Amino acid sequence: RLGSGRGRRSAVAGPGGVGLLVNEEDHLRIQSVVSGFHLQSALDSATGMDRELEDALDYATSDRHGYLTACPTNTGTGMRASALVHLPGLVLTGEMKKVHQAVGEMGMVVRGWFGEGSRVVGDYYQISNQRTLGRSEDDLVAELDRVVERVLELELEARERVVDAKPQRRRIEDRIHRSRSILAVARMLTVEQAMACVSDVWLGKWMGRFEDVSGSALHRWTVFAQPAHLGFEAEALPESEEAQWLRAREARRWFGESSPAQ
């Protein structure tokens, strides 16, 4: 699949494949995205394409500094390894500021859904490495793996504290069921509204609710609800009223009403 705009090009090698961006921040960027917490698998896929391209292209490199990139912070391996994590528990307990600080002290950074400069939607955060110089790709991936594992441990601890507190548990029960109801009946949904509701439904599933909603369906909907995916499937301009109407219609189909008239 090919896309272009303003001298840029992108190529995607199929669902779950490796992406290649031309003339984005750098002349060439390889991107590998895999579901689940499989950082090494993503690295292996990207490395495979990198080796193929090296046979045909002359990369800008330095014996001292490694790959020379448009952004100085990417000098070295030129690699950014990231993991997208769902952290509603840490948000509810107000501990995300501490997480930002702790992750920063370990040479990593916490950003929004799409990385640098992006906003947080649905309590989803991206954790990625900051340093690329003087470290191997395998070392960076292993370090990110350790950091994310620790953050997820803190998230589970935060969730357990939240649901064990009776007054707060009642408020959370009300919140997750309201969000499920919104997805089931809403007629218009922005991406922010949709992701906030889906985040609550995910938390509800962790609490043992919503057995009729599968985890795989939530994963698929989380992707489909994004503006570009919705626009590609429905040919609607991102975040137009038409797109919001179509997003809500699909939400009703996935989470509630099933009548063809809807």
Side-chain angles (χ1 to χ4, degrees):
R1 183 180 300 165
L2 298 175
S4 64
R6 297 182 181 181
R8 300 175 178 177
R9 295 292 186 273
S10 64
V12 181
V18 183
L20 184 64
L21 303 179
V22 180
N23 288 340
E24 199 241 10
E25 183 178 52
D26 286 298
H27 286 148
L28 194 65
R29 173 173 290 187
I30 301 168
Q31 181 170 293
S32 175
V33 180
V34 298
S35 61
F37 192 35
H38 302 293
L39 297 174
Q40 189 62 49
S41 175
L43 174 59
D44 292 342
S45 297
T47 300
M49 176 173 282
D50 178 46
R51 288 171 178 167
E52 291 186 28
L53 291 171
E54 277 188 319
D55 291 337
L57 301 173
D58 292 325
Y59 288 157
T61 61
S62 161
D63 291 339
R64 180 178 180 183
H65 300 297
Y67 291 107
L68 304 178
T69 67
C71 181
T73 58
N74 289 335
T75 300
T77 64
M79 188 188 77
R80 291 286 182 176
S82 304
L84 187 67
V85 291
H86 185 218
L87 306 176
L90 290 167
V91 172
L92 285 168
T93 57
E95 296 176 287
M96 278 307 303
K97 186 176 181 179
K98 294 180 181 178
V99 171
H100 277 268
Q101 182 178 351
V103 169
E105 291 173 355
M106 292 183 281
M108 302 287 169
V109 63
V110 181
R111 298 189 173 104
W113 175 275
F114 291 109
E116 187 174 0
S118 65
R119 65 190 186 282
V120 176
V121 292
D123 299 331
Y124 283 92
Y125 292 82
Q126 187 182 118
I127 301 176
S128 59
N129 64 294
Q130 281 187 300
R131 295 191 295 264
T132 62
L133 184 62
R135 306 291 301 279
S136 72
E137 289 92 340
D138 289 332
D139 286 344
L140 290 171
V141 164
E143 186 174 6
L144 178 62
D145 188 281
R146 289 192 296 271
V147 171
V148 173
E149 287 283 5
R150 180 53 184 154
V151 171
L152 294 179
E153 289 175 3
L154 295 173
E155 166 65 17
L156 290 177
E157 292 171 5
R159 292 187 191 186
E160 290 170 357
R161 290 199 305 273
V162 167
V163 299
D164 284 344
K166 188 173 181 179
Q168 192 159 354
R169 183 184 180 93
R170 288 175 175 174
R171 292 193 292 271
I172 293 173
E173 288 276 4
D174 178 70
R175 173 173 159 173
I176 63 175
H177 285 280
R178 282 176 184 268
S179 292
R180 168 68 188 274
S181 297
I182 289 172
L183 292 171
V185 302
R187 261 51 188 177
M188 294 185 73
L189 282 172
T190 65
V191 66
E192 289 85 359
Q193 292 167 338
M195 292 302 295
C197 290
V198 168
S199 174
D200 288 343
V201 174
W202 268 118
L203 182 59
K205 278 196 69 65
W206 178 82
M207 295 171 63
R209 310 295 184 264
F210 313 135
E211 293 183 0
D212 60 316
V213 179
S214 70
S216 60
L218 279 171
H219 277 301
R220 293 196 303 274
W221 168 256
T222 300
V223 174
F224 176 82
Q226 302 308 308
H229 288 274
L230 181 69
F232 179 79
E233 294 292 336
E235 298 182 359
L237 292 176
E239 295 315 287
S240 63
E241 286 194 358
E242 178 67 14
Q244 294 175 30
W245 175 267
L246 292 171
R247 183 181 287 113
R249 187 187 68 184
E250 289 301 305
R252 296 196 303 274
R253 184 173 70 85
W254 287 55
F255 298 101
E257 301 173 8
S258 58
S259 169
Q262 300 301 320

